[in-house]
């Protein structure tokens, strides 16, 4: 809707007197609200980020090239970031979410650090990858999902593998920086002492619908740090046998804190969704930003009216309040989309809103 001539919206016409007045205010670090009111109060969210698709077949060779160019000891982390044209200044892939592809050679290990940003990783390829989070060593395979909540010591390595391992990192670092709340520390010994059994959180908390009677947990994030692909895919297929799923998301499940049923971390949520053979969802939009990773299969999504064709390990984003729908191209197999989002922030600030696309039977393009 145009801003001009709408009662209740700013529509002050410039005059020489007003120009002089604005100049006088500016001299005292003050300004007239009505000159910016319509920009800072848009009718609805106007995301800076644009819908994007990052193709794995294009990025993979570039990620591998970095193995010969920098060492983790020098670079800290050997990562190729995903950038969005109008979010480059804050290193965000979409909204206030950062993402990148990290690579490690067999035998490499990066030192431990901690920060106030929360992080997650989705493993793409390679065997022998591990991450140590607060003294717990987690072994990682393809399509496993692991969290590094804010404030936890963490370090990664690749041992036993014969090929480089590559994973996608996701962090809320642009948000934490925008809130001016970030702290960063290098571990005093450079590496942690592993003080719990390997995969301990998975052993105690990774059991479907069974939780310890006396949980030893009082932290604001999930005690379960790793969510394996086998369990996840199995859960989706079982759920698919019991439901038609959501018209917008197919058969979708959220990775949760098993003690609360809430999101895995205070600022970041994550999901895996299954699109049945040939399924094409209806479009909707919601506040909150999402980065998708194609865990399995091939298809396309229509995001803000634009079609993006994807296949395994491609990554794409849906900016806040942007119409989106997904289609599985395969007529004989399901497709799975991993995604992470800032919904926990939207929900805890009471900002979450959702709307269905009504025209054209719910599809943006025919
Ligand atoms: C970080 O801690 C990691 O631990 C990866 O692997 C990427 C990007 C920004 C800030 C911290 C890691 C990161 C990061």
């Amino acid at each position: 809707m145009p801003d001009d001539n709408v009662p209740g919206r700013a529509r002050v016409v410039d005059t020489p007197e007003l120009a002089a007045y604005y100049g006088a205010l500016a001299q005292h670090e003050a300004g007239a609200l009505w000159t910016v009111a319509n920009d800072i109060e848009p009718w609805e969210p106007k995301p800076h980020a644009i819908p994007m698709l990052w193709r794995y077949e294009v990025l993979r060779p570039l990620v591998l090239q970095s193995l010969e160019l920098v060492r983790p000891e020098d670079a800290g982390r050997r990562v190729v970031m995903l950038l969005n044209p109008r979010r480059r200044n804050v290193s965000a892939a979409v909204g206030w979410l950062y993402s990148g592809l990290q690579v490690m050679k067999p035998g490499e290990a990066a030192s431990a650090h901690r920060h106030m940003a929360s992080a997650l990783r989705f493993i793409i390829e390679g065997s022998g990858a591990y991450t140590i989070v607060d003294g717990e060593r987690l072994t990682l395979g393809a399509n496993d999902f692991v969290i590094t909540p804010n404030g936890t010591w963490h370090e990664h390595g690749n041992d036993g593998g014969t090929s480089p391992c590559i994973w996608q990192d996701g962090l809320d670092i642009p948000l934490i920086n925008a809130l001016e709340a970030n702290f960063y520390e290098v571990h005093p010994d450079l590496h942690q002492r592993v003080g719990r059994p390997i995969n301990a959180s998975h052993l105690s908390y990774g059991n479907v619908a069974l939780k310890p009677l006396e949980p030893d947990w009082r932290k604001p994030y999930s005690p379960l740090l790793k969510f394996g692909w086998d369990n996840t895919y199995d859960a989706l297929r079982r759920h698919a046998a019991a439901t038609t799923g959501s018209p917008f998301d197919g058969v979708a499940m959220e990775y949760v804190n098993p003690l609360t049923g809430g999101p895995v971390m205070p600022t970041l949520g994550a999901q895996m969704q299954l699109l049945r053979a040939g399924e094409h969802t209806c479009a909707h939009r919601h506040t909150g930003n999402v980065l998708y990773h194609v865990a399995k299969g091939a298809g396309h999504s229509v995001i803000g009216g634009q079609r993006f064709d994807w296949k395994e390990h491609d990554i794409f984003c849906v900016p806040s309040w942007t119409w989106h729908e997904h289609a599985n191209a395969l007529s004989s197999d399901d497709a799975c989309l991993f995604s992470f989002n800032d919904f926990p922030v939207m929900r805890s600030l009471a900002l979450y809103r959702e709307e269905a696309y009504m025209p054209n039977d719910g599809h943006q393009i025919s």
Side-chain angles (χ1 to χ4, degrees):
M1 205 183 297
D3 282 330
D4 304 355
N5 292 325
V6 177
R9 294 297 274 188
R11 46 180 172 156
V12 175
V13 178
D14 277 347
T15 61
E17 292 78 10
L18 274 172
Y21 175 64
Y22 298 151
L25 288 174
Q27 292 196 352
H28 302 284
E29 289 304 331
L33 173 61
W34 60 84
T35 61
V36 298
N38 295 346
D39 296 328
I40 65 173
E41 280 288 20
W43 296 106
E44 58 183 29
K46 288 193 167 60
H48 287 288
I50 57 169
M52 298 269 300
L53 171 80
W54 294 269
R55 286 185 200 292
Y56 192 58
E57 68 184 10
V58 172
L59 286 182
R60 185 176 185 274
L62 290 165
V63 168
L64 292 174
Q65 201 183 338
S66 72
L67 288 170
E68 310 312 324
L69 297 172
V70 289
R71 303 182 308 163
E73 305 89 281
D74 301 328
R77 301 291 196 245
R78 198 195 280 114
V79 181
V80 170
M81 295 188 290
L82 306 182
L83 295 173
N84 199 298
R86 288 177 59 212
R87 304 298 284 156
R88 274 192 206 116
N89 55 338
V90 290
S91 301
V94 65
W96 297 101
L97 300 175
Y98 158 96
S99 196
L101 297 176
Q102 184 161 174
V103 61
M104 280 202 154
K105 282 182 198 167
E108 279 183 345
S111 57
H113 65 203
R114 65 178 176 185
H115 38 65
M116 290 316 287
S118 294
L120 56 81
R121 326 208 176 265
F122 191 74
I123 314 305
I124 302 175
E125 60 176 275
S127 58
Y130 67 88
T131 195
I132 305 175
V133 180
D134 262 354
E136 177 181 342
R137 185 180 165 113
L138 301 145
T139 49
L140 304 172
N143 283 359
D144 285 354
F145 165 60
V146 62
I147 60 169
T148 310
N150 56 341
T152 54
W153 292 113
H154 57 281
E155 60 192 275
H156 322 293
N158 177 357
D159 69 359
T162 49
S163 52
C165 49
I166 305 180
W167 63 83
Q168 181 186 0
D169 291 316
L171 287 96
D172 60 3
I173 198 160
L175 174 69
I176 304 307
N177 286 340
L179 295 172
E180 299 178 341
N182 213 355
F183 292 87
Y184 181 95
E185 273 174 275
V186 174
H187 196 283
D189 304 327
L190 290 185
H191 292 283
Q192 303 164 73
R193 202 176 55 80
V194 175
R196 305 176 71 191
I198 290 179
N199 296 325
S201 69
H202 198 258
L203 294 171
S204 294
Y205 291 97
N207 304 301
V208 177
L210 283 172
K211 65 178 187 187
L213 201 53
E214 293 179 21
D216 53 352
W217 199 255
R218 291 186 190 284
K219 298 184 177 165
Y221 51 82
S222 168
L224 180 60
L225 301 171
K226 179 179 95 168
F227 300 75
W229 166 244
D230 289 349
N231 277 349
T232 306
Y233 185 53
D234 192 47
L236 281 168
R237 295 224 301 192
R238 291 159 66 95
H239 187 35
T243 181
T244 51
S246 145
F248 309 112
D249 290 314
V251 179
M253 298 184 95
E254 183 182 2
Y255 294 93
V256 295
N257 175 335
L259 289 182
T260 64
V264 284
M265 294 185 282
T267 51
L268 293 174
Q271 305 182 355
M272 183 74 82
Q273 68 197 75
L274 179 150
L275 304 169
R276 292 186 167 91
E279 179 165 5
H280 186 156
T281 67
C282 294
H284 74 158
R285 63 181 175 183
H286 45 68
T287 49
N289 296 275
V290 185
L291 259 173
Y292 290 86
H293 180 123
V294 182
K296 178 176 185 289
H300 75 266
S301 298
V302 183
I303 310 167
Q306 198 184 344
R307 176 175 168 144
F308 295 87
D309 285 87
W310 39 255
K311 58 185 195 230
E312 247 169 59
H313 300 312
D314 287 350
I315 297 170
F316 59 92
C317 71
V318 175
S320 185
W321 208 238
T322 303
W323 298 116
H324 57 283
E325 64 198 80
H326 309 295
N328 178 354
L330 307 174
S331 54
S332 56
D333 199 4
D334 52 42
C336 292
L337 299 176
F338 167 81
S339 60
F340 70 94
N341 59 60
D342 54 11
F343 298 165
V345 177
M346 295 298 158
R347 291 210 166 94
S348 57
L349 300 180
L351 299 174
Y352 188 79
R353 209 198 258 213
E354 191 176 356
E355 191 176 82
Y357 186 78
M358 299 311 282
N360 195 26
D361 280 339
H363 298 297
Q364 299 162 76
I365 49 184
S366 306

